[in-house]
Amino acid sequence: MSRVFSGIKPSGSVHLGNLLGALRNWVALQDEADTVYCVVDLHALTVPQDPEELRASTLSLAQMLIAVGLDPERCTLFVQSHIHEHSEGAWLMECTAAFGELRRMTQFKDKVEQADFISGGLFTYPALQAADILLYDTDQVPVGEDQRQHIELTRDIAERFNARYGETFVVPEAVVPPAGARVMDLQAPENKMSKSEDSPRGSISLLDEPAAIEKKLKRAVTDSDGEVRWDPAAKPGVSNLLSILGAATGRKPDEAAAGIERYGDLKAATAEAVVELLRPIQARYHELAADPAETARLLAVGADKASEVASATLDRARRNIGLLGR
Ligand code: AMP
Ligand code: TRP
């Protein structure tokens, strides 16, 4: 069975784009592969964090992942910082990656322009990500298009390490969902949906109340030609609503348009579908949130499973690179 690994950062609320573009796929993969999913709290440290908030959002993200359908019995679900091999592996990766390769990462270049404090960790972030992936002998990494470059770098690092020190790591590949799996901002449909903190009216959080969801969809930007038709280039707003409606009801976006003639009806149908999609997720989330000890227990089980694989891989890497055993 192939091994799948992916990670998600505990920063801000999980939104509809995360669910439809990534998490639903993570859930489905549990039936097909040996899946390992990680809440990457160490990655969140590349920018300054409020300690209490980071702790709370790490726990809450884990609860949300279980609520959307990750089953700790069928997958390995754990918190990155619980497995010290990630930090140690990151050093081996940093020493295998070239400075020039890290400098070329577009995510780093973008962030450098925006941030007023640039940590060393922001620069070496992709090396930590490579460690995450390589520690689990990963075959496939389901990620969004924006992460493709990091997975390419991970492959290069794995190949270079194997060539220098002997066969050590499995060389993984990225699995990127097809176009259309991207959910766009409701107010600015040329941008992808991002955290509600950044775009309060354009983003639907998985924890939004039904009334808030209806309001945001009612106010979603459309266009003036008045025709309900799937055409992302010419009609980004309407097409985004059709993608969301289709994804929420298990249809292709162009099929979701059938029988809907007015924008008002499209918005109402989309709101209803999203509310129904989120209702059981929210109920499960609130149950889990009421019992943090149970989540902690599940994460400890996940950490035990993860530790077994990660420590074996790191031992192999330590030996091959020439570190003295004790
Ligand atoms: P992020 O919230 O950027 O850390 O992303 C977590 C996961 O959700 C990644 O696999 C992203 O590719 C995916 N994702 C984030 N935003 C969207 C979006 N608007 N549409 C589809 N997928 C998304
Ligand atoms: N960098 C990824 C993001 O910003 C998160 C991530 C960290 C990740 N480690 C990973 C994704 C390993 C896939 C595999 O979304």
Side-chain angles (χ1 to χ4, degrees), residues 29 49 105-106 198 273:
L29 284 165
Q49 294 286 339
M105 293 294 116
T106 52
D198 300 337

Side-chain angles (χ1 to χ4, degrees), residues 5-9 26 38 40 43 80 86 107 111 125-126 128-133 141-144 146-147 150-151 154:
F5 182 99
S6 200
I8 179 166
K9 263 187 303 204
W26 292 16
C38 183
V40 292
H43 278 93
Q80 187 182 30
H86 288 252
Q107 188 169 318
K111 294 231 164 118
Y125 177 112
L128 176 59
Q129 183 166 353
D132 299 341
I133 297 167
V141 190
V143 281
D146 59 329
Q147 293 298 311
H150 289 167
I151 313 305
T154 302

Side-chain angles (χ1 to χ4, degrees), residues 37-322:
Y37 298 123
C38 183
V39 176
V40 292
D41 55 346
L42 296 174
H43 278 93
L45 298 180
T46 52
V47 294
Q49 294 286 339
D50 176 276
E52 280 316 316
E53 262 175 42
L54 177 60
R55 237 187 304 279
S57 48
T58 302
L59 183 66
S60 147
L61 176 55
Q63 289 162 338
M64 185 49 87
L65 293 176
I66 298 171
V68 302
L70 294 190
D71 174 359
E73 304 248 309
R74 285 191 296 152
C75 71
T76 300
L77 175 64
F78 72 105
V79 174
Q80 187 182 30
S81 65
H82 291 175
I83 304 297
H84 62 77
E85 280 84 355
H86 288 252
S87 316
E88 194 179 338
W91 178 248
L92 303 187
M93 301 300 120
E94 280 170 44
C95 294
T96 309
F99 180 80
E101 285 171 328
L102 293 170
R103 198 175 41 188
R104 278 195 294 278
M105 293 294 116
T106 52
Q107 188 169 318
F108 174 71
K109 290 196 277 188
D110 292 348
K111 294 231 164 118
V112 163
E113 277 171 26
Q114 296 159 18
D116 43 19
F117 175 79
I118 299 151
S119 67
L122 194 63
F123 183 65
T124 56
Y125 177 112
L128 176 59
Q129 183 166 353
D132 299 341
I133 297 167
L134 298 182
L135 281 172
Y136 296 91
D137 292 334
T138 302
D139 300 297
Q140 288 166 339
V141 190
V143 281
E145 186 61 48
D146 59 329
Q147 293 298 311
R148 202 189 271 282
Q149 199 187 24
H150 289 167
I151 313 305
E152 280 304 314
L153 177 64
T154 302
R155 292 171 58 87
D156 292 341
I157 292 176
E159 280 166 359
R160 188 173 304 139
F161 195 104
N162 289 346
R164 280 190 189 157
Y165 306 114
E167 216 40 52
T168 309
F169 295 121
V170 173
V171 180
E173 61 184 44
V175 183
V176 177
R182 248 158 63 108
V183 178
M184 310 311 278
D185 189 286
L186 300 175
Q187 290 300 316
E190 58 287 351
N191 302 328
K192 70 172 189 175
M193 185 176 285
S194 59
K195 286 178 285 190
S196 10
E197 295 79 30
D198 300 337
S199 176
R201 293 196 302 138
S203 174
I204 294 177
S205 157
L206 298 195
L207 290 175
D208 277 349
E209 303 279 339
I213 295 171
E214 279 154 21
K215 193 163 151 192
K216 286 178 186 177
L217 284 165
K218 194 178 271 178
R219 295 186 180 168
V221 166
T222 50
D223 53 48
S224 57
D225 85 8
E227 193 190 342
V228 175
R229 176 166 53 85
W230 163 251
D231 182 350
K235 299 170 67 66
V238 170
S239 301
N240 189 37
L241 293 173
L242 287 169
S243 307
I244 295 173
L245 176 59
T249 54
R251 287 173 296 168
K252 296 209 178 86
D254 51 345
E255 290 164 6
I260 302 181
E261 272 162 26
R262 295 187 328 189
Y263 289 173
D265 295 340
L266 172 60
K267 290 174 171 182
T270 307
E272 194 189 328
V274 171
V275 168
E276 287 313 313
L277 177 71
L278 297 187
R279 192 189 302 284
I281 294 176
Q282 295 185 351
R284 179 91 180 97
Y285 174 86
H286 291 302
E287 260 172 50
L288 288 156
D291 188 1
E294 172 62 6
T295 311
R297 187 190 69 79
L298 294 170
L299 291 174
V301 171
D304 285 343
K305 287 196 269 181
S307 169
E308 226 170 278
V309 184
S311 66
T313 314
L314 189 67
D315 278 350
R316 191 163 75 228
R318 290 174 55 108
R319 202 169 340 105
N320 291 356
I321 205 172

